[in-house]
Amino acid sequence: MIIDIENKLKVKDVNPTAMRLLVLEFLTRQNAAISLNDLERGMAPSDRITLYRTLKTFEEKGLVHSIEDGTGATKYALCEEDCDGKNHHDLHVHFYCNTCKETFCLPNTKIPDISLPINFFRQEMNLIIKGICDQCNPSIPLQ
């Protein structure tokens, strides 16, 4: 698995330092987007500044995308393979669960194409749906 993670970094032109390998491996094990605080707790006793810089490098290189879900804490999730530092091609909907407070990427639910007026230029788009996830919904039987 470490070889796969190292290759992912190299493909994105990111120097595979020990910390970057550990952070990317941690991110691949997540089922939901995570905040810097979540990452710091999960990787204790790591340096917060190093973790923040690692996330920012990953975002700049197209390894992760950031999500503003209205909670006040930026969340991070892995990008699709074809993202790069200049263009994130994973314009998908995100779902915030009001019960468990997790934010999920819904990659199969794309943000619709929105036409803008002349001379307006889109720099980023974010669509958050808030509700109750499948794990918290009492009407869905757990398996």
Side-chain angles (χ1 to χ4, degrees):
M1 178 158 182
I2 290 294
I3 303 249
D4 289 341
I5 291 170
E6 186 173 348
N7 287 337
K8 282 184 182 185
L9 291 173
K10 286 179 179 178
V11 164
K12 299 291 185 173
D13 199 28
V14 176
N15 184 26
T17 65
M19 181 56 76
R20 289 173 178 170
L21 289 166
L22 290 170
V23 169
L24 187 54
E25 190 222 349
F26 184 84
L27 290 170
T28 60
R29 293 193 319 256
Q30 304 309 303
N31 294 323
I34 63 167
S35 67
L36 176 59
N37 286 340
D38 296 332
L39 182 62
E40 188 177 19
R41 275 192 299 276
M43 298 198 60
S46 296
D47 176 59
R48 182 177 181 85
I49 299 300
T50 301
L51 294 173
Y52 176 77
R53 287 181 180 153
T54 299
L55 287 172
K56 285 305 179 190
T57 297
F58 286 3
E59 188 172 22
E60 290 167 6
K61 297 293 187 171
L63 280 163
V64 300
H65 61 279
S66 60
I67 305 155
E68 301 294 334
D69 61 8
T71 62
T74 302
K75 306 274 178 68
Y76 299 90
L78 292 175
C79 282
E80 299 293 326
E81 294 292 325
D82 63 344
C83 289
D84 60 41
K86 295 181 178 138
N87 295 302
H88 286 269
H89 302 288
D90 50 5
L91 288 176
H92 55 260
V93 172
H94 295 96
F95 185 91
Y96 177 78
C97 179
N98 290 318
T99 302
C100 66
K101 311 299 185 210
E102 297 283 356
T103 300
F104 302 93
C105 291
L106 303 178
N108 295 327
T109 308
K110 300 296 181 193
I111 294 176
D113 188 27
I114 298 172
S115 61
L116 296 173
I118 295 174
N119 295 325
F120 282 66
F121 178 75
R122 179 190 79 200
Q123 291 184 312
E124 63 181 78
M125 267 179 24
N126 193 4
L127 179 58
I128 301 288
I129 298 173
K130 295 186 177 189
I132 301 173
C133 73
D134 60 346
Q135 296 298 307
C136 295
N137 189 341
S139 65
I140 299 174
L142 295 176
Q143 298 170 355

